[in-house]
Amino acid sequence: MLDLLIRRLRMSSSAPRGCTNGRRCYSGRYRNGKAVYFYNESDNRRIYCGRFWFRRKNQSPPHGRTVETVSGCFADNRRTNKWHFSKKSHGYRQKLVAEYASGGLNGVYRYTAVCRLHSLGYTQGVTSMRTTMADNHPSGRIECRIGKEKITGGYDGDGRPDGVWMMDSTKTETYKTFHEKWEHGVCVESYSYDDSTGERIAVRSQLPDIVTSMIMGECRPLESIIKRGLPDTDA
């Protein structure tokens, strides 16, 4: 409880620009964890307004204890400004920074995962992604690192793959680079180039799918640790 009270004092004095705390503050149990948040009351309902902090611990196989943490800001029950999400367990930790406006993704979107597990289905090493979101979809340049591989590409204003995409796998055993050319969601060219032999081979396009899989499979579950504040959601 003392830790929560200290956080409450810090939150009330360090609200970021554009984040106005409500008149009341809650500090206690929340969604099987603990939370501190500010709110106003209207028609016997709590309207989330201001800083929000949440932490939850649980036991989940095969990693044992898992700690989830969320912090950010609400404006009229909707997420706004930058939010920070993290999930830590034995040998695996994830972090996401996402920027919102009116509950939707608009702005910075950065993800990092560090894995020291040898379990099937987990990519060892560091995975990272950096892009910008506009109206809940990627917009502009994106850069991903998956272990020793690096993916670069871009999206148009409607969130469709656009321009030149490339995956550099020359630091792996394949010694290849993968090239794709997209025009507003349509792949017009896709090939691999073997740096060791100079051989160029036509291949199936896949790079935007890899990025989408990362966003949906790794980032969105972090955003959903707390569902409140998302469009059409009041959970």
Side-chain angles (χ1 to χ4, degrees):
M1 180 60 69
L2 178 61
D3 180 63
L4 286 175
L5 290 174
I6 292 174
R7 287 183 179 275
R8 174 176 174 175
L9 292 174
R10 287 178 177 175
M11 290 171 72
S12 61
S13 62
S14 62
R17 185 176 181 180
C19 183
T20 303
N21 288 330
R23 294 182 177 182
R24 297 179 179 272
C25 180
Y26 173 82
S27 174
R29 294 183 179 180
Y30 187 90
R31 301 287 194 273
N32 297 321
K34 296 180 180 180
V36 182
Y37 64 83
F38 291 85
Y39 66 97
N40 293 317
E41 290 187 338
S42 176
D43 298 327
N44 295 320
R45 293 178 62 244
R46 291 187 177 184
I47 308 299
Y48 285 53
C49 182
R51 293 295 303 275
F52 177 94
W53 175 86
F54 170 80
R55 190 180 191 192
R56 177 170 58 204
K57 299 179 182 179
N58 54 56
Q59 296 287 333
S60 59
H63 312 310
R65 190 179 76 162
T66 298
V67 179
E68 298 169 314
T69 305
V70 178
S71 64
C73 180
F74 280 104
D76 194 25
N77 266 352
R78 296 299 187 191
R79 295 180 185 181
T80 188
N81 294 339
K82 288 183 181 180
W83 280 66
H84 297 258
F85 307 86
S86 71
K87 186 174 183 178
K88 299 179 181 179
S89 58
H90 178 68
Y92 190 52
R93 70 176 187 268
Q94 300 168 279
K95 291 183 179 181
L96 174 67
V97 177
E99 194 167 5
Y100 295 83
S102 301
L105 289 165
N106 284 278
V108 172
Y109 202 77
R110 297 195 306 265
Y111 171 72
T112 304
V114 179
C115 180
R116 295 186 175 87
L117 298 173
H118 298 278
S119 305
L120 182 65
Y122 286 90
T123 302
Q124 294 184 46
V126 178
T127 299
S128 66
M129 178 182 62
R130 177 188 291 266
T131 189
T132 300
M133 292 286 186
D135 297 327
N136 293 314
H137 57 66
S139 178
R141 179 176 172 79
I142 188 165
E143 180 178 308
C144 297
R145 293 181 182 272
I146 305 173
K148 297 180 180 180
E149 296 177 303
K150 178 180 178 181
I151 298 175
T152 55
Y155 295 89
D156 65 13
D158 294 320
R160 298 172 298 189
D162 194 43
V164 176
W165 283 65
M166 186 176 76
M167 180 166 72
D168 185 347
S169 301
T170 56
K171 294 182 179 180
T172 69
E173 294 180 355
T174 64
Y175 300 107
K176 292 181 180 179
T177 54
F178 295 83
H179 301 260
E180 297 177 7
K181 184 177 180 181
W182 290 79
E183 293 181 356
H184 303 292
V186 177
C187 184
V188 296
E189 186 178 31
S190 179
Y191 65 92
S192 68
Y193 179 81
D194 191 321
D195 278 21
S196 63
T197 64
E199 185 178 22
R200 172 172 163 164
I201 301 175
V203 296
R204 181 180 64 86
S205 61
Q206 60 173 337
L207 302 185
D209 289 341
I210 294 175
V211 172
T212 298
S213 177
M214 185 184 301
I215 292 175
M216 300 304 297
E218 300 185 41
C219 300
R220 290 298 165 84
L222 291 176
E223 292 184 65
S224 296
I225 292 174
I226 292 294
K227 294 183 179 181
R228 173 179 287 278
L230 296 172
D232 302 319
T233 300
D234 195 33

